[in-house]
């Protein structure tokens, strides 16, 4: 079995995970939001942008001697008053995700709240995806 095959799941498995999130966490999140403004639950990005980012971080981690390269996905939320010309203003107040390069050897045993690897902390993160909702 290839390394990739170990990480793939069927669409049916994806549905189970998405429905569990909606039934539990998403319900809780939205209980604190206006009914007319449910929080985001899906994020999409242009495949070419993602491939360019993966190439960038692969090359930058290689330069820094990182051999066990990874990508960390972090949950966040756009503040209501964020002033950022790259950001769609409709996304203010919504949860979001961003990608960061990570050295899997250094971060394997650290909690999610720990700082990024000193070797990779100057490599840019990836943000500014499509957030749904809003619709």
């Amino acid at each position: 079995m290839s390394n990739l095959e170990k990480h793939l799941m069927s669409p049916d498995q994806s549905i189970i995970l998405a429905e569990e999130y909606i039934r539990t966490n998403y319900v809780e999140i939205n209980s604190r939001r206006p009914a007319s403004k449910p929080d985001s639950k899906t994020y999409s990005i242009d495949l070419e942008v993602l491939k360019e980012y993966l190439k960038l971080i692969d090359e930058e981690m290689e330069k820094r001697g990182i051999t066990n390269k990874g990508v960390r996905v972090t949950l966040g939320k756009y503040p209501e008053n964020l002033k950022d010309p790259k950001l769609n203003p409709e996304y203010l107040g919504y949860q979001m995700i961003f990608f960061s390069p990570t050295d899997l050897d250094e971060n394997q045993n650290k909690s999610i709240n720990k700082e990024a690897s000193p070797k990779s902390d100057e490599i840019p993160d990836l943000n500014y995806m499509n957030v749904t909702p809003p619709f």
Side-chain angles (χ1 to χ4, degrees):
M1 178 183 296
S2 76
N3 196 28
L4 175 60
E5 288 176 9
K6 293 176 188 175
H7 297 275
L8 298 177
M9 65 179 177
S10 72
D12 289 341
Q13 291 168 308
S14 298
I15 289 169
I16 290 168
L17 298 179
E19 287 177 348
E20 181 66 10
Y21 172 77
I22 291 167
R23 187 183 70 74
T24 58
N25 299 39
Y26 195 63
V27 167
E28 184 64 29
I29 290 167
N30 286 319
S31 71
R32 293 177 168 84
R33 294 178 62 92
S36 62
K37 195 175 178 184
D39 209 343
S40 57
K41 64 179 173 182
T42 64
Y43 314 93
S44 60
I45 188 164
D46 180 280
L47 182 58
E48 291 304 314
V49 171
L50 182 57
K51 288 181 350 184
E52 284 181 50
Y53 179 69
L54 293 174
K55 183 178 183 237
L56 170 91
I57 65 171
D58 182 41
E59 292 171 356
E60 290 298 319
M61 286 190 280
E62 189 74 27
K63 288 179 192 174
R64 289 164 172 77
I66 299 171
T67 56
N68 197 2
K69 303 169 191 169
V71 177
R72 183 178 58 244
V73 180
T74 304
L75 292 166
K77 182 178 177 182
Y78 293 121
E80 293 283 350
N81 59 354
L82 183 66
K83 304 243 186 297
D84 187 334
K86 293 182 182 179
L87 180 65
N88 179 341
E90 291 180 7
Y91 297 169
L92 296 176
Y94 285 92
Q95 70 179 350
M96 48 74 78
I97 62 169
F98 59 93
F99 299 127
S100 306
T102 189
D103 181 339
L104 295 174
D105 288 333
E106 290 189 12
N107 291 309
Q108 191 167 13
N109 296 318
K110 293 181 181 180
S111 77
I112 193 68
N113 295 324
K114 295 288 183 180
E115 293 292 322
S117 164
K119 292 181 183 176
S120 64
D121 64 358
E122 293 181 9
I123 302 172
D125 294 340
L126 181 66
N127 190 0
Y128 309 107
M129 299 173 207
N130 299 308
V131 175
T132 308
F135 301 102

